[in-house]
Amino acid sequence: MKKRHLIIGAMVCCAVMGTPGTAMSQMSETATKEVYDFSGFVDVDLLNLFYEALQDGRKYPTEEEFATKGILPSDIAFIRSHVRKAQILDRSDRLISDTYEKRDLWMNIPMSMGKDGSVGHPSNYFADDVFSMWNYTNLFGSWNHGFFAAPAAWVDAAHKNGTNIMSGIKFFESWGTTSSAWNTVLSAKNPDGTYKYVKPLINCLMYFGSDGINYNWEDNGYSDPNTIAFNKALHKEAAACGFDNFYLGLYTSANSLSYQVNALFGNSEGRTAHTMLNYASGDFTFMMGQSVQAAEQAMGTSEGLYAGVWIVSMNRRWNSLNQTDDAKKCGICLWGEHASSRFWSYNSGADAYIAQTNYQALLERGFSGGNRNPLNRPAVRNLGNEWENKDGVPGLSTFAGLATWIPERSAIQGDLPFATYFNLGNGDRYNYKGKKTAGPWYNMANQDRVPTYRWLVTEPGTLTASDKIQPEFSHDDAYTGGSCLKLTGEATATGTDIVLFKTSLTSSASGAYANIAVKSGKEGNNATNLYVILKKQDGTWLEFPVGETTGTTWQEKKISLSGIAQGDVIERIGLRVKGSDNNYKLYVGKLEINNDVKTVPANVQDVVVEVKEETKTSLSVKMNWKLDRTAADRADWDLLFNDEADVDHFEILYKNGEKGKVSEIARTTMWAAYVGDITFESADDEPYVGVRAVSTDLKTYSPVEWVKVARAAQDALPEKKDNGNYGLSQMDPACDGADIARAQRYVTDVTTTGAIENLDYHASEPVADGSQYVDATNQVLKVRQGQEVTLFIKCFDTTNAYWDGSPKTDGLRYCFAGGWMDLDGSSTFNPDPIDENPEQGERLFRLGTVRQATPEFETKGITHTFTIPADARPGNSRLRIVFSDAWFAGSFIPSGYHNKGFSMDFSVEIIGDNEPRPMPVDTHDQGVAEEPEGLDQTPDGIDNVNNEISSFYVAGNMINFTNVDKVWIYSVNGGLVKYLTNPDKYSVADFANGAYIVRMQYGKVIRSGKFVK
């Protein structure tokens, strides 16, 4: 729980619920916008909790012990990964033969934006970081999370692809303050002389399911003999536990192993760390070869040694990485920054959708090379590898790509089946078989295994690069989930291959088949010109035609794989395009290779639903559950892997009423889910949410475990704010500098002249709720088609501003400024320009310079004159003004989170008789989605049918509870104050004055309330 949210809640409580003559006041809310509470995940406290469990003969705390520290199962479930780290295939047949087979890449970068504990966790904000280049990444740093706090969603995504991922990072910097608490951890010993916290630390990692810890250690504390011994003991304990992929990552300012090999790497007594040698003058160290020799002399291997570089610039000495055979053996570590990956912060786009497309393309140019095909890479160059687009040339277009030095990785092996929906882990809507079932979502645990080469496009059956077909991930549409594969280009008679996956998959049963979902968008019968291609172990390529589409919507086709017999091994999976079409375009939303195998998954049990945001006609829920099987490989840590339970993933289902129509609204591999903004048909809906497990055979299901969520009283609920399709526009609450932005970054004046009815907005203080968004739609700009309007905007002037008692200027002068107006009546803001119709863009202006201030935003204000297009569609419209930090161009979009900025909406009314411009065509499949498959396989179970909600009221220093089994009371700083079971009432006479949050569980439902003493 974050302090700022509690303070805001306290202010609301005092203002709304205060009662004269009483010591306390009570608020009737039974839901909260605060989704996650990781206040209990303090590294030293967790280690002590695991240490206490060890003294009791256990390797992990009980659920009750966690609860007494304020850590609920609903929070643990979002940190704990049940996806086993997959083993990668042998890299001896790597695509680029002159790479060193064992060379690894460590991406020591953050996830998403900011350092808030909720960063990277599931949300309903789709325009977020979906890193997807696991196919070249051995180790991921989780650089903006503390120890033991990396999101399970990211751990799941990494593990599916055979990537190791850190649980978080700790900073020891020479210019900062080192953590005395952690130094105590390193030195504390048991009576027998062993290190007190070695076993608890390993047990903690093995319980939560991540792969190690990461140090940013820039002072020389890592060379302390006590620290070296502690780190060696960690590796030995991990080995004794069978924790073979334990990593202790060490980022240092040292650029050579030569004099510190034991402190940084290890010796004959064992490994100390996996070390990133820091840069020399901002570049790769000159000591790669010598350090490799030192590593091999000390431990017989250089695996775990990385040459690091700060990717604030990609103009580095890339030609040094292969200068000698020894240098080739040194791994590569890319790092930057503390709160946002450079790939994410340097990305840009005119709106959230384009930015998502550009992000994946930027990743592809960075990893596979500037041409997005590892067989067609630009030559290695040390200069001219610019991040940002310039003169129409996309960023990193000249870069040789990390594939030049790092062999590709794949972890797709074992028995069939295999399936992908080409999900990146987000979407502006959730689709089931092409039709919408839920709104925007973000969940990396629903990211499919990524293509191995990204993108290997060749002439048929060869390793000769082709550019005839361009594959890309797309959010234009989706079959199931939020994204798909889009193929565009030229279909030729000779054909073009898109080799998607390197595999070693055995068909362990008869009846092999492929399921593929495609969409052409064309009316009538049309050839897809598409073929599924498979390469067998004997080198034979098999080709299977997909056939025709018979309309504009998604269609799934089942294809018999007659050339795949029981026992055959498939080594490559791909697609082939051939025919005659100069404007080929096809979406692929599913590709499954399966057979007649059948496996029964474990049953879902103990589903708990926590009510989050709730309105009269919508609901957001956070869920967690368990399975009815026992852990095997990590039984001592009670960590059951999904594959041990024969579970591939889980489906989250919804229905209105016990007999209502069922729809799938989310998928995940975690034992938890967050689904935001479930929209009801009416205020009378009876929401049921359910979970079922899907077998590793992808066609057998567990029974659905349903929970009925009793509604709060309608008069206690707000109306759902209908923002149409415009979407939210507010500050990312996790961004760096959010607090000072809330104080200094706001608009004071917005006026217009020349309109029929003008705007006249003025403010003298920041936004009270901290969102950095103002809903000023009560003001209406009334205009006529073709009318000229002058807009004036002025921001709070920070020339003489103070922050925390000292002069500090950090206002909107450090932002971009932009304005958008909906001119086609679509309730969206089209980017400017639109490729096909550039005159129909809807951005009115964009001002500011990247990484520079524009002081006149605050001192003089902005004046912009524009003309309402003659074909602007008459009717109700909207004007949106957005400011976003100029150091992060990718955050400057009309809808979504902005970075340290400010946004506001005004209503617009357009009048006129001219022929209006056409509205955009929605090409998504329309109508109601069909019910999920397999509902008739097993009977349902109803976990909770309570028709009452938990509640409390405060009187005379006493909290009185109704319908409550468990209670957690938190103070203003997020710390647990009291944990109660089956309470009727509880005295809070000894509580300090302030705001408190109460989480109440009744049956299988948790709700929240607030009060102020």
Side-chain angles (χ1 to χ4, degrees):
M1 233 165 269
K2 303 301 175 287
K3 184 175 181 179
R4 63 174 179 268
H5 292 106
L6 286 169
I7 290 174
I8 292 167
M11 293 167 60
V12 172
C13 287
C14 292
V16 178
M17 301 301 300
T19 304
T22 63
M24 309 183 69
S25 58
Q26 178 255 333
M27 194 172 183
S28 61
E29 291 181 352
T30 57
T32 174
K33 293 183 179 181
E34 191 73 20
V35 178
Y36 300 105
D37 173 21
F38 298 126
S39 58
F41 286 80
V42 179
D43 47 25
V44 177
D45 293 347
L46 278 171
L47 287 181
N48 280 316
L49 198 58
F50 276 81
Y51 178 80
E52 292 164 5
L54 195 61
Q55 306 317 296
D56 199 33
R58 293 174 284 109
K59 294 189 175 181
Y60 62 94
T62 64
E63 190 171 295
E64 199 70 11
E65 289 167 343
F66 275 120
T68 60
K69 301 296 184 181
I71 302 174
L72 276 65
S74 59
D75 300 314
I76 293 173
F78 284 87
I79 297 293
R80 201 174 191 207
S81 172
H82 295 266
V83 175
R84 187 196 307 273
K85 205 280 289 188
Q87 299 301 306
I88 67 166
L89 293 167
D90 182 87
R91 294 193 283 176
S92 60
D93 66 342
R94 56 198 178 279
L95 184 68
I96 301 168
S97 59
D98 64 352
T99 54
Y100 177 60
E101 178 184 347
K102 295 183 179 180
R103 194 173 212 175
D104 287 327
L105 175 68
W106 177 2
M107 291 300 294
N108 211 7
I109 59 175
M111 53 191 70
S112 189
M113 177 78 75
K115 298 178 183 178
D116 187 293
S118 63
V119 169
H121 288 280
S123 72
N124 61 347
Y125 174 60
F126 104 91
D128 210 338
D129 179 2
V130 280
F131 178 83
S132 61
M133 300 309 293
W134 311 107
N135 49 312
Y136 289 103
T137 304
N138 172 61
L139 188 59
F140 190 88
S142 306
W143 207 349
N144 53 345
H145 284 273
F147 279 176
F148 320 126
W154 277 72
V155 178
D156 283 13
H159 281 182
K160 291 175 193 177
N161 292 283
T163 300
N164 304 284
I165 184 167
M166 304 295 198
S167 75
I169 193 169
K170 184 170 288 293
F171 290 84
F172 291 84
E173 297 169 328
S174 57
W175 61 87
T177 303
T178 57
S179 171
S180 59
W182 195 256
N183 289 331
T184 301
V185 167
L186 296 175
S187 59
K189 292 186 177 180
N190 295 310
D192 63 0
T194 59
Y195 287 96
K196 175 179 178 179
Y197 290 109
V198 163
K199 288 181 181 291
L201 194 153
I202 296 299
N203 288 342
C204 190
L205 290 173
M206 295 191 73
Y207 176 84
F208 287 119
S210 51
D211 306 319
I213 53 177
N214 191 7
Y215 287 107
N216 185 87
W217 213 326
E218 297 188 38
D219 61 23
N220 60 3
Y222 59 80
S223 61
D224 180 87
N226 200 59
T227 300
I228 295 171
F230 182 87
N231 290 344
K232 284 183 179 291
L234 285 175
H235 283 91
K236 290 176 181 176
E237 176 64 19
C241 294
F243 191 1
D244 298 330
N245 63 315
F246 167 69
Y247 284 81
L248 191 156
L250 198 57
Y251 167 115
T252 77
S253 56
N255 62 19
S256 171
L257 282 187
S258 300
Y259 304 107
Q260 304 180 82
V261 64
N262 187 35
L264 296 174
F265 198 67
N267 58 17
S268 59
E269 297 175 353
R271 182 178 290 278
T272 308
H274 296 76
T275 292
M276 186 202 90
L277 299 176
N278 211 337
Y279 51 89
S281 300
D283 213 328
F284 290 107
T285 174
F286 291 92
M287 306 295 288
M288 274 182 278
Q290 296 92 322
S291 296
V292 165
Q293 292 172 11
E296 291 180 339
Q297 185 175 357
M299 293 192 65
T301 182
S302 62
E303 291 182 46
L305 177 66
Y306 297 83
V309 72
W310 183 22
I311 53 173
V312 65
S313 171
M314 294 293 271
N315 292 325
R316 303 302 193 195
R317 289 185 295 101
W318 299 102
N319 62 1
S320 69
L321 296 178
N322 280 356
Q323 275 188 340
T324 66
D325 288 341
D326 283 333
K328 276 189 171 185
K329 294 180 182 179
C330 189
I332 303 170
C333 176
L334 304 190
W335 65 270
E337 213 57 25
H338 288 198
S340 177
S341 151
R342 287 289 175 174
F343 279 96
W344 183 240
S345 61
Y346 277 135
N347 179 58
S348 63
D351 63 16
Y353 307 95
I354 296 172
Q356 285 286 307
T357 297
N358 291 349
Y359 178 51
Q360 295 304 319
L362 185 64
L363 285 170
E364 290 158 9
R365 291 191 293 272
F367 283 76
S368 301
N371 298 316
R372 301 171 54 247
N373 184 336
L375 281 181
N376 182 25
R377 305 182 316 283
V380 175
R381 56 191 290 178
N382 296 340
L383 298 175
N385 302 309
E386 304 304 332
W387 275 111
E388 292 166 311
N389 301 351
K390 186 176 182 181
D391 299 328
V393 178
L396 298 186
S397 291
T398 66
F399 185 51
L402 294 168
T404 301
W405 304 281
I406 303 294
E408 70 279 357
R409 301 160 56 89
S410 175
I412 303 172
Q413 57 184 309
D415 292 337
L416 287 176
F418 166 80
T420 178
Y421 292 84
F422 301 99
N423 269 316
L424 285 166
N426 64 341
D428 68 329
R429 51 191 270 161
Y430 190 87
N431 275 8
Y432 180 73
K433 294 193 174 183
K435 295 180 179 178
K436 181 178 178 179
T437 58
W441 62 279
Y442 170 80
N443 184 1
M444 285 288 284
N446 194 20
Q447 186 180 83
D448 286 309
R449 284 175 287 186
V450 298
T452 305
Y453 305 97
R454 213 52 184 281
W455 302 91
L456 182 56
V457 183
T458 69
E459 296 178 5
T462 73
L463 289 179
T464 301
S466 171
D467 61 0
K468 296 296 185 184
I469 296 294
Q470 292 297 316
E472 61 180 297
F473 282 109
S474 175
H475 290 90
D476 293 351
D477 213 323
Y479 185 61
T480 295
S483 56
C484 64
L485 176 67
K486 182 164 75 171
L487 303 175
T488 56
E490 179 185 358
T492 65
T494 54
T496 304
D497 286 358
I498 302 98
V499 183
L500 294 170
F501 302 100
K502 174 183 176 180
T503 65
S504 180
L505 291 169
T506 301
S507 182
S508 61
S510 59
Y513 61 90
N515 277 334
I516 184 167
V518 293
K519 180 175 180 176
S520 67
K522 297 178 181 179
E523 298 281 357
N525 292 4
N526 291 277
T528 63
N529 293 325
L530 189 69
Y531 301 77
V532 175
I533 56 172
L534 305 174
K535 184 181 180 182
K536 296 173 63 175
Q537 194 171 34
D538 62 7
T540 305
W541 281 97
L542 303 178
E543 174 187 284
F544 304 93
V546 172
E548 291 185 334
T549 57
T550 57
T552 61
T553 61
W554 282 101
Q555 296 172 36
E556 183 172 340
K557 296 175 177 294
K558 185 173 182 178
I559 303 166
S560 175
L561 304 179
S562 56
I564 302 297
Q566 187 170 348
D568 281 350
V569 176
I570 299 170
E571 290 194 340
R572 300 289 188 276
I573 298 174
L575 299 170
R576 178 171 291 163
V577 175
K578 63 179 181 179
S580 178
D581 187 346
N582 291 331
N583 295 296
Y584 185 80
K585 180 179 177 180
L586 190 74
Y587 293 110
V588 182
K590 175 183 179 179
L591 178 58
E592 174 188 355
I593 311 297
N594 211 329
N595 55 24
D596 292 336
V597 67
K598 183 172 182 179
T599 308
V600 178
N603 293 320
V604 173
Q605 60 185 21
D606 298 334
V607 177
V608 175
V609 177
E610 187 166 1
V611 175
K612 293 302 176 181
E613 198 167 1
E614 184 180 16
T615 74
K616 294 182 187 299
T617 54
S618 68
L619 181 70
S620 296
V621 295
K622 176 184 172 187
M623 308 167 63
N624 67 281
W625 54 86
K626 297 177 182 176
L627 295 179
D628 67 353
R629 292 198 190 168
T630 304
D633 292 347
R634 290 197 182 179
D636 289 345
W637 296 269
D638 194 35
L639 182 63
L640 175 67
F641 288 115
N642 286 347
D643 58 7
E644 292 177 325
D646 297 312
V647 171
D648 182 79
H649 64 274
F650 301 93
E651 295 175 354
I652 314 304
L653 308 178
Y654 174 80
K655 62 182 179 180
N656 175 19
E658 186 174 353
K659 303 298 183 182
K661 181 180 176 67
V662 178
S663 61
E664 178 186 312
I665 56 175
R667 286 188 184 184
T668 186
T669 48
M670 295 191 299
W671 293 16
Y674 172 75
V675 184
D677 199 18
I678 300 171
T679 302
F680 303 147
E681 296 175 8
S682 73
D684 297 326
D685 280 18
E686 292 186 345
Y688 283 74
V689 289
V691 185
R692 68 175 180 176
V694 181
S695 167
T696 52
D697 69 14
L698 304 181
K699 49 185 178 285
T700 307
Y701 306 87
S702 73
V704 182
E705 287 299 298
W706 291 101
V707 174
K708 179 181 179 181
V709 182
R711 302 297 316 284
Q714 284 292 303
D715 59 4
L717 293 173
E719 296 284 349
K720 184 180 187 300
K721 180 173 174 55
D722 184 7
N723 209 23
N725 294 321
Y726 294 113
L728 64 80
S729 177
Q730 62 187 46
M731 183 176 68
D732 185 340
C735 67
D736 274 358
D739 288 340
I740 189 172
R742 290 189 177 97
Q744 294 191 356
R745 295 190 172 190
Y746 62 95
V747 171
T748 59
D749 303 275
V750 178
T751 61
T752 61
T753 56
I756 299 171
E757 294 180 11
N758 286 296
L759 301 177
D760 189 26
Y761 171 88
H762 305 281
S764 59
E765 58 187 17
V767 177
D769 66 3
S771 68
Q772 294 296 90
Y773 167 74
V774 170
D775 182 354
T777 53
N778 61 322
Q779 292 206 24
V780 181
L781 175 66
K782 187 173 181 179
V783 293
R784 181 180 292 105
Q785 292 170 325
Q787 189 169 32
E788 186 177 270
V789 178
T790 298
L791 173 69
F792 173 76
I793 307 167
K794 188 178 182 301
C795 309
F796 173 65
D797 190 350
T798 60
T799 302
N800 299 307
Y802 280 73
W803 173 250
D804 283 349
S806 302
K808 174 71 173 179
T809 299
D810 193 20
L812 291 176
R813 65 178 63 193
Y814 299 107
C815 286
F816 296 114
W820 288 262
M821 184 180 289
D822 176 14
L823 298 170
D824 61 12
S826 64
S827 294
T828 61
F829 299 110
N830 293 328
D832 189 8
I834 299 174
D835 290 340
E836 296 84 359
N837 300 291
E839 74 284 355
Q840 292 189 7
E842 295 183 334
R843 189 173 69 202
L844 302 179
F845 64 91
R846 172 174 173 159
L847 300 172
T849 305
V850 65
R851 288 182 288 284
Q852 291 186 27
T854 309
E856 55 266 33
F857 288 175
E858 301 177 9
T859 57
K860 298 189 301 183
I862 310 165
T863 299
H864 177 71
T865 299
F866 61 94
T867 301
I868 302 298
D871 65 348
R873 181 172 289 273
N876 294 328
S877 179
R878 182 166 298 194
L879 167 66
R880 175 165 291 174
I881 298 167
V882 178
F883 288 81
S884 189
D885 196 283
W887 271 251
F888 299 94
S891 300
F892 188 62
I893 52 180
S895 299
Y897 281 160
H898 51 71
N899 191 286
K900 286 198 301 181
F902 191 87
S903 59
M904 53 200 317
D905 280 348
F906 295 92
S907 294
V908 176
E909 182 184 350
I910 301 172
I911 65 172
D913 299 321
N914 296 340
E915 182 69 23
R917 62 180 59 182
M919 293 185 66
V921 177
D922 184 356
T923 59
H924 292 95
D925 292 9
Q926 304 300 310
V928 178
E930 62 187 76
E931 289 196 314
E933 298 175 354
L935 290 175
D936 57 350
Q937 288 185 3
T938 53
D940 288 344
I942 300 294
D943 269 356
N944 183 75
V945 291
N946 292 331
N947 291 309
E948 304 293 335
I949 69 168
S950 50
S951 62
F952 72 94
Y953 69 93
V954 180
N957 278 336
M958 191 72 66
I959 306 181
N960 299 271
F961 297 101
T962 302
N963 300 325
V964 174
D965 300 325
K966 298 177 182 178
V967 170
W968 297 262
I969 304 175
Y970 299 89
S971 67
V972 68
N973 62 5
L976 179 71
V977 176
K978 194 66 182 177
Y979 168 60
L980 305 168
T981 57
N982 299 312
D984 291 325
K985 57 184 62 180
Y986 185 77
S987 173
V988 292
D990 295 334
F991 281 26
N993 290 342
Y996 295 87
I997 287 185
V998 182
R999 294 172 82 179
M1000 305 164 287
Q1001 182 169 346
Y1002 179 47
K1004 298 297 183 181
V1005 178
I1006 296 176
R1007 287 180 171 271
S1008 297
K1010 302 175 184 178
F1011 71 89
V1012 173
K1013 179 176 179 181

